[in-house]
Amino acid sequence: MVGRRRSHRRRLAASHQRSWLWGRHAVVELLEAGRWRPLELRLAERLEPALREQVVSRARTLDVPCSDHPFEKLTDWCGTTEHQGLLALMPPYPYADLDQVMAAARPPALVLVLDRIQDPHNYGAILRSAEVFGVDGVVVGVREQCEVTPHVARSSAGGVHYLSICRADDLATALRHLSSLSGLEVVAATADGARLAAEYDFRRPTALLLGNEGSGIDPWLLSLCRTTVRIPQTGRIGSLNVAVAAGVLLYEIRRQRDRPR
């Protein structure tokens, strides 16, 4: 019984921590973007006046309630002392509509499709690169896919607040949609891709597909792709981390598109 109680408490604590976004940069970025509106804000009683004024003013604009509490109480709620006096209680992430994203995409469109990314840090790092390199939209599935959580938001350095992230019930259907209706060429990144990424013309409208950290891309999804590309490697390690690979490939796409024709 004692073991079950402790396990239950640990599960509750883990679940509870996932609902909190904390830290000054993270919370201020959240409020400034205004897309993922928190349910409420909890501030340390001794928060610096200038920061308090900035946060409370923006929260008032977004109609988000604020309350003051001892610093130690904030630590109890989120389970860490790294909150820096600011906690935001978060609702589920507001996913975008794929058709609306494609309608607003800047030609040539660039969409990133992720197949079963499970590690929150990897997911956040991928989203950070996607925002930095100008991806028009990110498409993820439901099955075995990490949710957009406060952990992911922190790992993305705020990228989740400026990206259009779409969730599809079936990634295969989404890929067909991107290919047939939106005219994108679906390209998969694999360790043994048919050609080097630098040899493929990414100046065309593109949907870049990246796969799961362990098993890679589902074979059925691979069969729907126009081609596969790879990153050249000379070391002894078998492959790159998916988040690192995403950054390399998105840089290559941006390099090609920024190059004079």
Side-chain angles (χ1 to χ4, degrees):
M1 178 65 73
V2 172
R4 286 199 296 270
R5 285 178 179 172
R6 288 177 178 172
S7 177
H8 178 64
R9 283 199 297 269
R10 284 195 296 268
R11 287 197 300 270
L12 284 176
S15 175
H16 198 51
Q17 287 183 30
R18 282 197 294 269
S19 65
W20 292 108
L21 180 65
W22 61 78
R24 299 184 184 189
H25 174 77
V27 173
V28 169
E29 193 74 44
L30 168 78
L31 295 173
E32 290 300 321
R35 177 190 289 179
W36 189 8
R37 189 169 67 91
L39 300 172
E40 64 172 288
L41 293 178
R42 299 185 184 182
L43 287 64
E45 292 172 337
R46 296 183 180 179
L47 197 65
E48 291 91 331
L51 179 59
R52 174 184 297 277
E53 181 179 357
Q54 178 186 7
V55 169
V56 172
S57 174
R58 184 59 182 161
R60 188 180 298 116
T61 300
L62 297 174
D63 195 26
V64 176
C66 299
S67 56
D68 292 334
H69 305 272
F71 186 95
E72 295 75 18
K73 193 65 177 176
L74 270 63
T75 300
D76 290 341
W77 280 319
C78 69
T80 177
T81 59
E82 298 175 357
H83 53 74
Q84 300 175 306
L86 286 174
L87 289 184
L89 182 62
M90 303 303 299
Y93 182 79
Y95 290 96
D97 178 81
L98 182 56
D99 287 331
Q100 293 177 355
V101 171
M102 294 311 304
R106 299 155 295 182
L110 174 58
V111 174
L112 184 62
V113 183
L114 304 177
D115 176 28
R116 296 168 297 134
I117 302 301
Q118 296 176 337
D119 182 85
H121 183 78
N122 279 341
Y123 190 21
I126 291 170
L127 296 177
R128 181 175 186 172
S129 294
E131 201 284 326
V132 167
F133 290 116
V135 168
D136 293 296
V138 178
V139 181
V140 299
V142 175
R143 181 174 63 94
E144 301 179 59
Q145 171 64 42
C146 177
E147 293 277 358
V148 178
T149 63
H151 185 169
V152 172
R154 288 191 297 274
S155 297
S156 76
V160 298
H161 306 312
Y162 302 102
L163 277 171
S164 294
I165 305 174
C166 312
R167 186 164 57 175
D169 291 332
D170 181 52
L171 271 184
T173 300
L175 286 179
R176 292 192 193 95
H177 180 89
L178 291 170
S179 177
S180 61
L181 297 182
S182 300
L184 276 67
E185 295 188 354
V186 182
V187 180
T190 64
D192 56 352
R195 63 179 75 181
L196 294 173
E199 297 173 351
Y200 184 81
D201 186 1
F202 282 111
R203 293 174 294 179
R204 295 172 286 198
T206 302
L208 177 65
L209 175 62
L210 296 173
N212 174 267
E213 293 94 336
S215 59
I217 298 171
D218 185 281
W220 175 238
L221 296 180
L222 272 177
S223 71
L224 301 176
C225 297
R226 177 184 178 89
T227 189
T228 58
V229 297
R230 69 183 188 276
I231 298 170
Q233 300 176 63
T234 58
R236 297 182 180 181
I237 297 176
S239 63
L240 290 171
N241 171 281
V242 65
V244 175
V248 172
L249 291 165
L250 292 174
Y251 167 77
E252 173 59 27
I253 294 172
R254 180 53 49 201
R255 183 191 69 82
Q256 290 188 22
R257 292 185 174 192
D258 289 344
R259 185 177 60 197
R261 289 182 179 270

